[in-house]
Amino acid sequence: QVQLGESGGGVVQPGGSLRLSCAVSGFTFSNYGMHWVRQAPGKGLEWVAVIWYDGSNKYYADSVQGRFTISRDNSKNTLYLHMYSLRAEDTAVYYCARDAYNPPGSYLDDWDQGTLVTVSS
Amino acid sequence: EIVMTQSPATLSVSPGERATLSCRASQSVSNNLAWYQQKRGQAPRLLIYGVSTRATGIPVRFSGSGSGTEFTLTISSLQSEDFAVYYCQQYNNWPPLTFGGGTKVEIK
C-alpha cells in the first residue's frame, strides 16, 4: 500500500526558511518522479516543483523559482522542499505527490495528507 | 502556460441526479487531461486520467470525455460521498502542470 507521510510545516516569519519532508513507503521511490503542489486557504491547487526519479532534473513554478529547492534522498525514501525567503503568499497546505510516469510529466496518482505552512509575523 | 478554466464554479445537485462538470484549456492538451476529487480537509484523489480512464477503485458512475480543449466529467447518479470539489489538470505542455480553478458540487 502506497503511503506518503509529510512533516515540517508550521508558522514562520516573512523572510524566514522552512524545510518540508515527505517520507514514502509501499513503492519503489527511486523509480518515480515526485512533485510538490500547494493550496492556499480556500483556493485551488497550484503546482510548485518536480524532481526526476534520480534527481537529475528539477523544475519550478515561476512563483517560487529561486526561493524554493526540491531534493530527494532515495536511500531514505524521502522527498524534500527547502523554502527560503518566505512570503505571506506562500501560506498554503503543501502536498507531495507521485507522478504516474517515468520520466515525470503526467497525472499525480498518489498524494500525502498535506502540511500547513503559515507565513506570518 | 496553458490556462485551465472550469465551469460552473458551483453546481447544486440532488442525490441521485446527474452532474456535468466542464473544463476548458486555453490551447489543445490532446488527451493529456486528468480529474481529481477533493473532499473537505482531505488531499486530492485521482479520479480519471487520459481524459476517460478511471483510476483504480473509482466507481463507474464517474466518466470523462472530450478532446483538444473541451472536456467533461460526468457523475451519472450522485451519491452522498460525491459532494466535493473537482479539479481538472493538464499534462500535455509543461512545466508548469496546471489545474483548473475547481468546481464545487454541493447538495441541492
Side-chain angles (χ1 to χ4, degrees):
Chain A
Q1 180 182 359
V2 173
Q3 290 190 332
L4 299 90
E6 200 175 331
S7 60
V11 180
V12 60
Q13 292 188 337
S17 302
L18 206 59
R19 188 187 78 166
L20 304 182
S21 301
C22 177
V24 311
S25 61
F27 66 97
T28 305
F29 181 63
S30 58
N31 286 351
Y32 289 87
M34 297 293 295
H35 300 258
W36 289 98
V37 176
R38 69 183 180 183
Q39 186 171 36
K43 302 298 184 181
L45 301 170
E46 179 189 15
W47 176 79
V48 173
V50 63
I51 186 168
W52 255 233
Y53 63 99
D54 59 357
S56 59
N57 288 293
K58 306 172 186 180
Y59 296 98
Y60 300 90
D62 289 346
S63 58
V64 306
Q65 179 76 48
R67 299 188 300 118
F68 288 14
T69 300
I70 188 172
S71 63
R72 65 192 296 158
D73 186 336
N74 285 346
S75 69
K76 296 182 179 179
N77 287 350
T78 303
L79 176 73
Y80 301 101
L81 185 66
H82 303 252
M83 303 183 291
Y84 307 96
S85 302
L86 283 160
R87 307 167 180 167
E89 55 264 36
D90 296 318
T91 294
V93 173
Y94 285 75
Y95 297 100
C96 67
R98 186 180 78 171
D99 195 293
Y101 287 171
N102 187 13
S106 72
Y107 51 93
L108 309 180
D109 62 355
D110 274 291
W111 299 62
D112 81 313
Q113 81 284 357
T115 191
L116 178 62
V117 173
T118 302
V119 184
S120 173
S121 54
Chain B
E1 172 177 329
I2 296 179
V3 177
M4 307 299 292
T5 302
Q6 291 186 241
S7 62
T10 303
L11 186 62
S12 298
V13 185
S14 299
E17 289 188 341
R18 183 186 196 91
T20 302
L21 290 66
S22 296
C23 174
R24 173 178 293 178
S26 60
Q27 63 189 78
S28 176
V29 299
S30 186
N31 66 339
N32 296 311
L33 190 284
W35 290 92
Y36 302 86
Q37 177 193 65
Q38 186 179 34
K39 297 180 180 179
R40 182 182 294 273
Q42 297 185 16
R45 177 177 72 148
L46 177 68
L47 287 179
I48 285 175
Y49 61 91
V51 175
S52 59
T53 303
R54 281 185 300 277
T56 303
I58 301 303
V60 296
R61 63 180 180 273
F62 291 92
S63 63
S65 62
S67 63
T69 61
E70 301 282 345
F71 302 92
T72 300
L73 174 69
T74 302
I75 311 171
S76 59
S77 176
L78 270 159
Q79 306 298 303
S80 57
E81 61 267 30
D82 300 335
F83 292 96
V85 180
Y86 293 83
Y87 294 95
C88 61
Q89 176 231 326
Q90 69 81 23
Y91 49 97
N92 189 67
N93 189 343
W94 79 289
L97 295 177
T98 51
F99 295 87
T103 292
K104 181 181 180 180
V105 177
E106 64 177 23
I107 300 175
K108 186 174 182 179

